[in-house]
Amino acid sequence: MIAFGYRLMTWLAVLFSVTPALAQAPHIQPRLVAESTAPAGGGTTTLALVMQPAPTWHGYWKNPGDSGIETSIEWRLPAGVEAGELTYPVPHTLIIAGLMNYVYEGEYAQLIPLQLPQGLAPGTKLPIRGTAKWLACTKEICVPEKAEIAVDLVVGDGRADAALADDFSRWRAAMPKPLGSSGRFALNGETFRLAVPLPAKLDVADVYFFPLTDGAIDYAAPQSISRNGDTLIVEVKAAGAAGGLGQVDGVLRIGKDNGLSLSATPGEVPAAGAPVLASNAGNGEGAGGSFKSVALALGGAILGGLLLNIMPCVFPILSLKALKLARAGGDERAARGEALAYTAGAVLVCAALGGALLMLRAGGEAVGWAFQLQDPRVILALLLLTAAIALNLAGLFELPAITGGDTLAGKNGAHGAFWTGALAAFVATPCTGPFMGAALGAALILPAPAAMAVFAGLGFGLAIPFLALGFIPALRRRLPKPGPWMDQLRRILSIPMFLTALGLAWILGRLAGVDGMTIGLGAALISGFALWWVGRRQAVSRTAAWWPLAPAAAAAIALLMTIPRAPVSAAAPVENALGAQAFSETRLAALQAEGRPVFVYFTADWCLTCKVNEKAAIERTEVAEAFAAANVAVLVGDWTNGDAAIGRFLAAQGRSGVPLYMYYRPGQPPEILPQVLTPGTLTALSA
């Protein structure tokens, strides 16, 4: 009742205070900026309504709470131009006289998608005009304000304004990310109980539920947060209309300026679990910032990196470097130097990739680990690299950085080891395995220094075997004695590298079509011919043996520039014995509404672990029969081309990449399955 009265007074203030408000400068200064002032015809650009409150003043979220008003804009747009709805960043709580307000007390930006019609000629002027209205308040007074907003656009190439890149990155980072899964809510007496599917391993802090649906909860009532397995439970005093609601929408804050948007429908809510201590504190340390969280993520990354060494694209490199290290005999100093250099190369590459990943995500890109493999040009570069390594292992030419040549103990040994470690880390990115997914997913919500430590830990884990060989002479003595058999082994190890190159050519075809794959194979052929020539020259002379590679490299670069960057066509829905359909959150919700169990898996053509699981476990007759008997629906999310919607869904599950396997039982929270599947694991689900 008090809240209603306060809200009524707020609206009356709006109705009767417009005229005086116009006579003074606004207490919240607005400005309208465009991400691109030269948007392309038929494309979309993003506008930002940037609000700068004066000291002690604040603005309101879309649902303002017990009082306040959301922002509105009356647009005046050129013909055919359409502005979408305002999107709001994660708000903060502000209690005044016992009433809860959902507010912004510093600069905040509301983003608006702007769609341009097709057929606009370059150079066409697009004056964007509008009247924005909002409510500015202090703890004592509220003033309805409005202002004319404007930005002038000219149809162009759609390129974003580089000067505003950091600003838009910051504004996007403050927006809630879609949870990707549906929540459930129930009433228990006067208590509104909300169940949110959230992985137990995902660390959260400063948790608070901001409802968008009015009438669900008592805004000012304290919220109790707990976790029961993979479900986060919010309990708060219900509002009077809660019993009649069919859906409750809102934003769940899980860290400072970090939140998830979600929808919940009536359903079973499990019993409360372990309390989340940071809830309602309002001064949490930030998402995942605890020492325990960092330690767990770092440990998972190190262990995951260690397991990468058994991958077919890494194992040959590690094996040959280990054997060459054994050949070094008793030179302890050289062995330790090699090991440290190898470790430095692996750690620096993983840290560099992790840093690029964090910057892209800060810019609003829904990318994850191995994001670079979604670019056909990177796949082509990897194809040329792995083909060259395979030809080297096959004996076509000598590359000391990989095999160590005969100069392992020489002054160039550490240099070669560094680049070998860097190479091993780079070619390992298509692979993922146990412990990596959760660790890298957690890294995405950790503070940047902690996240970088996790990425570096992945490289350290990758380097552990070589590091151990370098610093533990007893391990080197257990290696087989050097001999002619090493050359035979070297040629045998070329086989997995050739298969890796073949797999990359296939991925290139999936990303860039037949033309792209043909270009890639052509570049590999040119490089292979040049390397054969290099090998011939190395056989007769060591001087100037590499010059044939220069024109081949120039040709490869030229072909690299011509390869299509965009996918040739959208990925077709997967059809197999499981009757799998393409994943979408809408389709998932529809299948759940039908009461069917749903198996959802996320994959990518460049993900080796994904393909192994699909062939060895998922696409099996016994699994298809078990799923058919239990009426299990199967959805597959193909992330080969970096689909942004799938990227957001993965992030909502606390993952940064694929594979991800989930099983939805009717009326229960989703179960995240192991990253290494067996047919028995899947058939047991439907039992």
Side-chain angles (χ1 to χ4, degrees):
M1 192 66 184
I2 295 175
F4 173 78
Y6 196 94
R7 187 174 297 183
L8 178 62
M9 292 301 293
T10 301
W11 280 101
L12 291 175
V14 172
L15 292 174
F16 294 104
S17 302
V18 170
T19 301
L22 294 177
Q24 53 186 306
H27 299 90
I28 300 180
Q29 292 288 345
R31 62 187 173 97
L32 186 66
V33 296
E35 189 169 20
S36 171
T37 55
T44 301
T45 189
T46 302
L47 303 178
L49 178 62
V50 185
M51 310 293 279
Q52 181 62 60
T56 73
W57 291 80
H58 59 260
Y60 286 90
W61 189 45
K62 184 174 180 63
N63 177 4
D66 285 322
S67 65
I69 300 174
E70 69 172 298
T71 304
S72 64
I73 301 177
E74 296 174 2
W75 290 105
R76 298 185 297 280
L77 303 173
V81 177
E82 297 181 1
E85 294 186 1
L86 277 76
T87 56
Y88 291 75
V90 179
H92 305 283
T93 56
L94 178 64
I95 294 182
I96 303 174
L99 300 176
M100 175 62 74
N101 298 264
Y102 299 146
V103 304
Y104 307 101
E105 295 179 279
E107 182 193 87
Y108 61 99
Q110 296 151 287
L111 303 183
I112 309 115
L114 191 73
Q115 177 67 48
L116 273 62
Q118 295 279 359
L120 291 177
T124 302
K125 295 183 178 180
L126 299 173
I128 307 299
R129 302 288 185 268
T131 302
K133 299 179 181 178
W134 65 92
L135 185 68
C137 294
T138 68
K139 293 183 178 180
E140 292 77 27
I141 61 171
C142 287
V143 179
E145 298 179 334
K146 71 175 183 179
E148 297 301 310
I149 54 175
V151 63
D152 292 319
L153 309 180
V154 179
V155 176
D157 58 5
R159 184 172 303 174
D161 189 344
L164 294 172
D166 291 341
D167 290 335
F168 272 90
S169 297
R170 187 176 71 256
W171 297 331
R172 283 198 173 96
M175 295 291 166
K177 286 74 178 176
L179 173 63
S181 301
S182 298
R184 301 178 306 283
F185 71 88
L187 292 181
N188 183 7
E190 294 184 353
T191 302
F192 176 89
R193 305 186 70 244
L194 173 69
V196 181
L198 208 63
K201 295 180 180 178
L202 179 65
D203 206 352
V204 296
D206 199 17
V207 179
Y208 192 89
F209 177 65
F210 297 91
L212 275 169
T213 303
D214 195 18
I217 69 171
D218 182 341
Y219 295 128
Q223 298 186 2
S224 175
I225 314 294
S226 65
R227 303 187 80 159
N228 185 341
D230 288 326
T231 302
L232 188 145
I233 300 162
V234 179
E235 295 177 300
V236 59
K237 183 180 179 182
L245 296 175
Q247 178 173 318
V248 173
D249 299 328
V251 168
L252 182 72
R253 184 176 64 195
I254 58 174
K256 188 176 185 300
D257 297 324
N258 185 16
L260 303 170
S261 59
L262 62 94
S263 293
T265 55
E268 183 180 352
V269 178
V276 177
L277 298 179
S279 64
N280 293 324
N283 56 354
E285 59 187 336
S290 69
F291 174 79
K292 181 180 177 182
S293 305
V294 176
L296 288 174
L298 182 59
I302 292 175
L303 194 53
L306 178 62
L307 294 177
L308 279 179
N309 285 287
I310 62 175
M311 295 299 172
C313 48
V314 178
F315 182 71
I317 299 174
L318 174 68
S319 301
L320 288 175
K321 289 302 295 184
L323 293 175
K324 292 296 182 182
L325 192 61
R327 182 182 289 179
D331 191 339
E332 297 294 331
R333 184 176 180 182
R336 291 194 295 270
E338 291 266 351
L340 291 174
Y342 181 93
T343 303
V347 169
L348 285 179
V349 165
C350 287
L353 290 173
L357 171 62
L358 294 179
M359 286 191 290
L360 287 173
R361 291 183 68 86
E365 297 288 339
V367 297
W369 184 249
F371 62 94
Q372 70 277 15
L373 301 180
Q374 295 160 1
D375 189 328
R377 296 169 301 177
V378 176
I379 296 296
L380 175 54
L382 268 176
L383 168 61
L384 297 179
L385 187 60
T386 53
I389 295 172
L391 292 172
N392 170 252
L393 297 177
L396 194 68
F397 70 102
E398 292 295 328
L399 184 62
I402 302 300
T403 63
D406 297 325
T407 61
L408 179 68
K411 62 181 181 181
N412 294 325
H415 181 77
F418 174 86
W419 288 110
T420 304
L423 178 66
F426 189 66
V427 299
T429 50
C431 305
T432 185
F435 309 106
M436 277 185 61
L440 297 181
L444 299 183
I445 59 171
L446 287 171
M452 291 303 297
V454 173
F455 290 121
L458 181 66
F460 178 75
L462 184 65
I464 283 178
F466 200 67
L467 203 58
L469 286 171
F471 279 83
I472 305 176
L475 291 179
R476 296 202 302 276
R477 287 195 292 270
R478 290 179 179 274
L479 293 175
K481 299 296 182 184
W485 64 271
M486 292 180 62
D487 288 335
Q488 297 298 325
L489 177 63
R490 172 180 166 180
R491 283 157 178 73
I492 291 173
L493 290 177
S494 72
I495 296 174
M497 293 307 295
F498 275 123
L499 293 177
T500 301
L502 184 62
L504 289 167
W506 176 74
I507 295 171
L508 191 58
R510 294 275 294 177
L511 286 174
V514 175
D515 291 347
M517 184 170 65
T518 303
I519 291 174
L521 292 175
L525 181 63
I526 294 172
S527 300
F529 176 76
L531 292 172
W532 168 81
W533 197 351
V534 169
R536 298 283 293 176
R537 293 179 61 81
Q538 286 177 330
V540 297
S541 173
R542 292 285 181 181
T543 58
W546 289 93
W547 75 260
L549 201 57
I557 292 173
L559 291 172
L560 193 71
M561 302 303 293
T562 63
I563 200 164
R565 291 186 58 185
V568 174
S569 60
V574 175
E575 296 181 0
N576 54 31
L578 297 175
Q581 307 170 50
F583 169 82
S584 72
E585 295 183 57
T586 302
R587 186 56 186 155
L588 174 60
L591 290 170
Q592 289 182 287
E594 294 174 8
R596 295 183 63 183
V598 186
F599 172 62
V600 184
Y601 68 97
F602 296 90
T603 181
D605 289 342
W606 36 261
C607 170
L608 179 61
T609 307
C610 303
K611 296 306 169 188
V612 171
N613 278 329
E614 288 162 25
K615 296 302 179 187
I618 298 175
E619 298 170 1
R620 298 291 293 267
T621 303
E622 59 267 38
V623 174
E625 291 175 350
F627 278 12
N631 196 29
V632 177
V634 179
L635 297 179
V636 54
D638 188 339
W639 207 37
T640 302
N641 296 323
D643 183 277
I646 292 178
R648 287 190 290 271
F649 186 87
L650 291 172
Q653 312 309 315
R655 297 302 175 94
S656 67
V658 290
L660 175 64
Y661 307 101
M662 305 180 70
Y663 193 70
Y664 292 78
R665 301 178 194 275
Q668 297 184 29
E671 177 183 356
I672 295 182
L673 306 179
Q675 288 186 312
V676 178
L677 297 177
T678 65
T681 303
L682 297 177
T683 54
L685 293 173
S686 56

